[in-house]
Amino acid sequence: MCHRAIDCGATPNALLMKLAVNLFLITMVTGLVEATHFAESKGLDLERFIAVLDAGPMASDVSRVKAAKLLVQDFSVQGAIANVLQNNGLIA
């Protein structure tokens, strides 16, 4: 699930760390969506916009995957809670 495991200390620090990381992820993806909407509303070529993003310091696996979905206006669910529950054996 990740490149390495990091000991976060006493309970509930791991949970709090996950929430902090998720907050960053949410703001990153939200920023990507807002920037894409801005670029589109100003008539910029979205493929070129994404190429510029991919060439810069903010590029990541997440931005590449999400930008590709935005480019084709694929707003389908990518990681639904049902998938998490099912993959962890919490639902059939």
Side-chain angles (χ1 to χ4, degrees):
M1 293 184 67
C2 60
H3 295 286
R4 64 182 181 154
I6 299 172
D7 185 340
C8 295
T11 305
N13 286 356
L15 176 62
L16 296 173
M17 187 67 71
K18 179 172 177 40
L19 292 173
V21 169
N22 283 355
L23 178 61
F24 176 71
L25 175 63
I26 290 165
T27 58
M28 183 175 68
V29 173
T30 302
L32 175 62
V33 171
E34 291 292 340
T36 303
H37 176 71
F38 177 82
E40 185 176 41
S41 73
K42 300 303 178 191
L44 297 176
D45 180 282
L46 290 185
E47 287 185 33
R48 190 167 287 153
F49 168 70
I50 290 169
V52 169
L53 287 179
D54 285 347
M58 295 173 292
S60 69
D61 291 341
V62 171
S63 69
R64 287 182 188 97
V65 168
K66 298 298 186 184
K69 287 175 64 80
L70 289 170
L71 184 61
V72 297
Q73 297 189 346
D74 175 1
F75 305 116
S76 63
V77 174
Q78 193 171 10
I81 191 64
N83 299 119
V84 174
L85 296 175
Q86 188 173 33
N87 291 340
N88 288 302
L90 300 174
I91 62 172

